[in-house]
Amino acid sequence: MSDSKRPEENTPRGTRPAMPPGARPAMPPGARPAMPPGAGPAMPPRSRPAMPPGAKPSGDGKPRLTRKDFASDQDVRWCPGCGDYAILATVQRLLPELDVPRENIVFISGIGCSSRFPYYMNTYGMHSIHGRAPAIATGLKASRPELDVWIITGDGDALSIGGNHLIHILRRNLNVQILLFNNQIYGLTKGQYSPTSEEGKITKSSPYGSIDHPFNPVALTLGADATFVARSMDRDTKHLQAMLRRAHDHRGAAFVEIYQNCNIFNDGAFFQFTERDTKPHRALFLEHGKPLVFDEGRKGIRLDGFRPEVIDLTDGRWSIDDCLVYDETNRELAQIMARIFFRPDLPQPFGVFYREKRPTYEDLLHRQIAEVTARKGKGDLQALLRSGDTWVIEPEPAEATE
Amino acid sequence: MAVFEKPVEVLPEATVLFAGDSGDGMQLTGLQFARATALARNDLATLPDFPAEIRAPAGTTYGVSGYQLHFGSVPVRTPGDAVDMLVAMNPAALKVHLPRVRRGGTLLINVNAFDRRGLELARYETNPLEDGSLEGYQVIPIELTRLTHEALADSGLDKKEIDRCKNMFALGLVLWLYSRPLKPVEEWLAQKFANRPKIRDANLKVLHKGYHYGETHELFAVRYEVRPARLAPGLYRAIRGVEALALGLIAASHQSGLPLFYGSYPITPASDLLHELSRHKNFGVMTFQAEDEIAAVGAALGASFGGALGVTATSGPGLSLKSETIGLAVMTELPLVVIDLQRGGPSTGLPTKTEQSDLLFALYGRHGEAPLPVLAASSPGDCFYAAYEACRIAVRYMTPVILLADGYLANGAEPWRVPDVASLPPFAVKFATEPNFRQNGDVRFLPYRRDPETLARPWARPGTPGLEHRIGGLEKEDETGNVSYDPANHQRMVKLRAEKVARVAREIPPTEVFGDPDGDVLLIGWGSTRGAIEAAVERLQARGLRVGSVHLRYLNPLPPDLPAIFERYYRLVVPELNNGQLVRVLRDAYLRPFVPLNKIQGLPFQAREIEAFVADLVQS
């Protein structure tokens, strides 16, 4: 590797002090905590679900294939310790459990470390052009709706060079899964700041600190009217698999942001959310119909007007009934959760932020073709060629008849 | 008033230009005259010329809309160098189009529009009808607006509706002048306004009024006749280049059984192809209006990966944006058809004007060694066959193909002999369904194992069990398609991809020579200049020179029989609407002193320009 810098020098995120969660001013006396409509039944503080959030029990169907059947014969060439390995393994474990014939699965990627992914999958795949995977996937899925199309992309690929295609595939709502491996750095080009890098980040291309304001991928995709938006992390493969399964089950464009550690150029960028010591009080797992609690049930989130705030469930002042019960079909709630973005006073949300039902692009496309065909009849090429004003030139020209 | 049979003068050919304000219905008028002309079995070529502005202010020069039509009993190859008759509905139309009228030509002028306001809007300092500036032309002043109002005084229509009928007066009059029947127009009006009988009757009345005006008015001492041309027998229709492109793509889809996926981003003049194709969904055509040019070609390539006929079209700067994806198509060896309706460049350039300046870009405009077949269409009707052939080659050789057309071809129209579907070249497609490698129990699918004849790799669609494979932009190992950085493999693959494209030459039909098979000068052209070049050849032959021409459909690879043809001429001239592009390609390929003839004005060649150049060259 031409990079002479030691990776340790490039880890500003990891060196950040962990912030005490819930460091917010107390509520004014007498103020009633606001409850969202549809708040579910209270849940005892310590009763964590046995299953990872969003996971489904394994079905009765016996998967014909195993993880090994989805691994190609190519050597995986990511750096040792890269978070991509965990994501690859999670996907390879999940696919045999899905009810999809292997030959119908297609992985389309752009360019970047994450985009090598299709080469390692024993499915159909295309490693395409930087940023263009959604465009190529759109043509494939629109013309072959029966295929199960997965887009693999990264923060530079999806949000910088390919930002336009990402928002358009989301608004059109093709039934695909979009897995964005966010490591907040350009890895394959050896360590420049990316569109998700935090301000002030020191990288090779920003020796005095990045002056770019970062994208918030969840807020961006919600803004593009995505019909399914989730966030997960490479270090919690159970949660990741659950999110990927839900993304696959969703009929429409399912966007999953995956916090992925680049141990070479941006080590520890998400450690506060992913590591055992800090994860409980820095990560908040959203679950549909459940109150928002974290820190092993000791803390919760309530809404003060539109503002989320941390409440202590141990001192008797607040109870689980005061916590916000999450509703992943509520667009406004999703927006509020999306805006909890690297805030020292609030835990970072993971899980399904939002989902809605909307017709897919390919369904609308083929429905329209079917409707027009039903109305006009199946196209007759010879008749089409002859359409419009025609006239005949006879072999032996006769006088023009008027 | 007595009606005299006026004498009829027979002309071999004529060029008429209808011009007026955008709101005067000139495109419609021109189209109906073209139709009547086609039904009278003349050969013809048309050139609509409309303003780039969407709704230009009425009466201004930049709001002038024109429709030029060249017709004859002789072969008609261009929309006409010089106009024999200009119908000018207002001063702006006269001002814009007078330079196109030949000296001694006829100006049919709506004098009612030449009031102070009209002259001011056209920026005429003095009235051209009075200041002598039209001397040398045959001016026929007609009170078109007043006569129309007079005819429709009792029609019950309001002033605006009556105004809109005046183009029918002009049409009726010109139909009479060229001895054309009224019937086709009458039928068309009856159909168009079937639900609005008042409008229909008003238009019919004014049409007849115009026709009778010619018959009865002493201004017109003579009428003309252009006799039927000797066209090959068959069923004909008038066709625009964009229509022909659309039909060619649909025909390719139909004959190959591949669903057509058309990805496109709106751009002038390629948008018309998107409009045209989106009308034909009952042929299973998928049209995708993308978010940008890159997505348009990307989606087309994605569809090709899935086994569809992936097509995209663009113009001008759009081709630059598609360049990277075309490179990916070269590397992944997937079929892809990219149609470039060239326009004046660089950058935004002249969006509504024609040019042939993308040839070198089509040939070389990709990073790396990325050859691909490049084809060009030579007339509006030829666009059909060129599009069909581009699709066929793309699929047969598993390669992107660029088809070059231009704004002039796209918008121009000509009579087109409707082909019999059964007569189209065969277009069978075979997808891979089985592993193609078996050795000692090792059974595999090798996505880059090539057909020995065409060197095309197999096309295995996702969804085919057992043929799962990955493709991508990284260099491929020969046969397996695995990523490879091996130096010798890269050289082999570059050579293989080049050889595959070169092998297209094996099926290029023999080059036809127009005019003299040997002699003083050979004109070598490509694209939309065919009509002007061949018209020039005929004129030069008539002047006693031995001149021939070849017109290239295949620009890469070049037809293998060209050197033998070049041998037979003393001089080799390459007329192009650019600053010299094919001429460089030919010099590079054949090391001969090709002479460039370049016009870079956003306008097509006139035959006389080529004629004059060649005549001077021969004399020098």
Side-chain angles (χ1 to χ4, degrees), chain A residues 21 42-49 279-285 287 290-301 310-323 347:
Chain A
M43 197 179 173
R46 299 251 169 192
S47 80
R48 298 275 303 171
K279 183 180 178 185
H281 60 268
R282 290 299 294 140
L284 170 72
F285 289 89
E287 291 180 77
K290 303 246 174 88
L292 295 183
V293 292
F294 64 106
D295 202 7
E296 294 172 331
R298 287 189 287 267
K299 294 198 178 73
I301 299 287
V310 172
I311 50 177
D312 191 333
L313 303 178
T314 59
D315 64 2
R317 188 173 170 215
W318 302 102
S319 80
I320 192 84
D321 296 339
D322 298 307
C323 293

Side-chain angles (χ1 to χ4, degrees), chain A residues 72 74 77 102-104 106 108 116 118-119 121-129 132 135-136 138-140 142-144 147 164-165 168 172 361 365-366 368-369 372-373 376-382 384-387 389-395 397-400 402, chain B residues 35 38-39 41 181 231-238 247 251 254 261 279-283 285-286 288-292 294-295 298-299 302-303 305-306 324-325 328 334 384 415 418-421 461-465 467-474 476 482-483 485:
Chain A
S72 76
Q74 300 295 295
R77 296 196 201 175
R102 185 175 62 174
E103 64 269 20
N104 278 2
V106 188
I108 308 275
R116 299 296 180 97
Y119 288 124
M121 297 297 301
N122 188 17
T123 63
Y124 283 92
M126 193 198 289
H127 175 222
S128 74
I129 307 176
R132 317 303 172 205
I136 287 164
T138 294
L140 179 64
S143 57
R144 297 284 307 280
L147 298 177
N164 197 30
H165 308 306
H168 287 279
R172 290 194 185 103
Y361 182 86
L365 175 72
H366 291 280
Q368 189 172 58
I369 288 173
V372 174
T373 306
K376 292 169 75 171
K378 192 162 162 47
D380 174 343
L381 180 60
Q382 191 67 65
L384 177 67
L385 299 183
R386 288 164 182 262
S387 61
D389 287 318
T390 57
W391 65 96
V392 174
I393 303 287
E394 302 293 347
E399 277 303 305
E402 296 194 2
Chain B
R35 214 170 136 257
L39 293 173
R41 294 185 293 137
L231 294 167
L235 180 77
Y236 281 77
R237 64 179 279 191
L247 294 184
H254 186 271
F261 183 94
R279 293 172 51 223
H280 299 301
K281 293 208 183 286
N282 59 328
F283 286 84
V285 177
M286 294 170 271
F288 171 64
Q289 184 174 316
E291 59 269 26
D292 60 27
I294 297 170
F305 180 47
E324 189 184 8
T325 307
L328 178 65
L334 285 170
F384 174 84
V418 176
D420 197 348
V421 170
R461 299 189 303 164
T464 313
L467 305 193
E468 289 87 355
H469 66 280
R470 278 66 55 196
I471 55 175
L474 287 168
K476 300 281 162 279
N482 289 331
V483 175
Y485 295 96

Side-chain angles (χ1 to χ4, degrees), chain B residues 181-431:
Chain B
L182 282 175
K183 205 173 159 204
V185 183
E186 290 170 345
E187 285 171 357
W188 171 78
L189 282 171
Q191 198 192 349
K192 181 170 167 71
F193 297 114
N195 299 324
R196 298 159 77 194
K198 248 166 78 173
I199 303 279
R200 175 196 63 202
D201 294 345
N203 275 293
L204 282 171
K205 188 166 184 189
V206 176
L207 178 76
H208 289 132
K209 200 88 182 163
Y211 196 90
H212 293 308
Y213 190 81
E215 241 168 25
T216 53
H217 209 282
E218 70 272 12
L219 272 171
F220 307 98
V222 65
R223 68 195 293 208
Y224 308 104
E225 186 183 350
V226 177
R227 299 229 161 114
R230 275 211 201 115
L231 294 167
L235 180 77
Y236 281 77
R237 64 179 279 191
I239 200 158
R240 291 169 69 215
V242 281
E243 288 173 323
L245 285 172
L247 294 184
L249 294 175
I250 292 170
S253 163
H254 186 271
Q255 296 302 89
S256 63
L258 301 172
L260 176 61
F261 183 94
Y262 181 75
S264 174
Y265 183 74
I267 188 165
T268 302
S271 309
D272 275 352
L273 187 49
L274 174 60
H275 306 161
E276 198 59 37
L277 283 170
S278 60
R279 293 172 51 223
H280 299 301
K281 293 208 183 286
N282 59 328
F283 286 84
V285 177
M286 294 170 271
T287 54
F288 171 64
Q289 184 174 316
E291 59 269 26
D292 60 27
E293 294 281 357
I294 297 170
V297 67
L301 186 64
S304 285
F305 180 47
L309 183 58
V311 180
T312 186
T314 190
S315 302
L319 191 62
S320 303
L321 287 164
K322 293 188 192 300
S323 179
E324 189 184 8
T325 307
I326 298 172
L328 178 65
V330 170
M331 189 60 119
T332 54
E333 303 193 41
L334 285 170
L336 173 72
V337 174
V338 179
I339 300 174
D340 176 21
L341 295 168
Q342 301 165 93
R343 64 188 218 189
S347 189
T348 310
L350 306 169
T352 59
K353 304 294 174 190
T354 201
E355 203 162 273
Q356 295 184 302
S357 48
D358 294 348
L359 174 60
L360 292 179
F361 191 83
L363 291 170
Y364 308 121
R366 290 162 295 285
H367 68 275
E369 297 286 352
L372 50 73
V374 177
L375 276 63
S378 64
S379 75
D382 183 55
C383 284
F384 174 84
Y385 296 100
Y388 188 91
E389 178 70 350
C391 295
R392 198 186 64 80
I393 292 202
V395 170
R396 181 162 157 77
Y397 290 86
M398 294 290 283
T399 176
V401 172
I402 294 181
L403 170 58
L404 295 170
D406 58 35
Y408 168 69
L409 283 183
N411 291 323
E414 65 177 358
W416 184 58
R417 192 149 69 103
V418 176
D420 197 348
V421 170
S423 73
L424 294 172
F427 193 160
V429 181
K430 199 168 173 290
F431 290 110

